[in-house]
Amino acid sequence: MIVARVLGWLLMAAAVAVAALGFALRLTGHDLGQAAGQIWYNLHPGSLNLIQAVIQRHIYAGLWDHVLVPILERPTYLVLALSFLVCFVLGGLLAILFKKPEKKRFFSRPPG
């Protein structure tokens, strides 16, 4: 239970980080209508190439070709918005569904 709750909070923190990334990109003058992969390549081409190599060689080549490349070809604003929504909704659901149960008190004071 605690693992799911912590994962929920981490996903919500990731959603906030994605929103901050979007604002930072916009404030630095990047065109968020460009493909997400192009902006990533402009910012740090080495990390994009490294992620591609790791996924294709060590995980599954089809994941890169059929899942990640179509995502990276989409406009950056769309990728950021969907990433934010998915992280925030999943994180919120995990945090709510696995919240800490309230302790029941046998001897509690009456209200008022």
Side-chain angles (χ1 to χ4, degrees), residues 12-74:
M12 289 197 304
V16 172
V18 166
L21 173 64
F23 285 123
L25 287 173
R26 189 68 197 141
L27 288 175
T28 56
H30 288 88
D31 178 19
L32 298 183
Q34 278 187 327
Q38 182 63 44
I39 288 185
W40 187 355
Y41 184 80
N42 291 342
L43 290 173
H44 200 268
S47 66
L48 180 61
N49 292 332
L50 177 67
I51 292 293
Q52 178 185 4
V54 167
I55 290 174
Q56 285 183 329
R57 292 181 191 153
H58 301 292
I59 299 175
Y60 177 62
L63 177 65
W64 180 261
D65 296 330
H66 302 297
V67 177
L68 294 176
V69 168
I71 290 173
L72 292 174
E73 291 174 344
R74 300 282 178 220

Side-chain angles (χ1 to χ4, degrees), residues 73-84:
E73 291 174 344
R74 300 282 178 220
T76 304
Y77 69 86
L78 183 63
V79 173
L80 290 173
L82 290 177
S83 299
F84 173 82

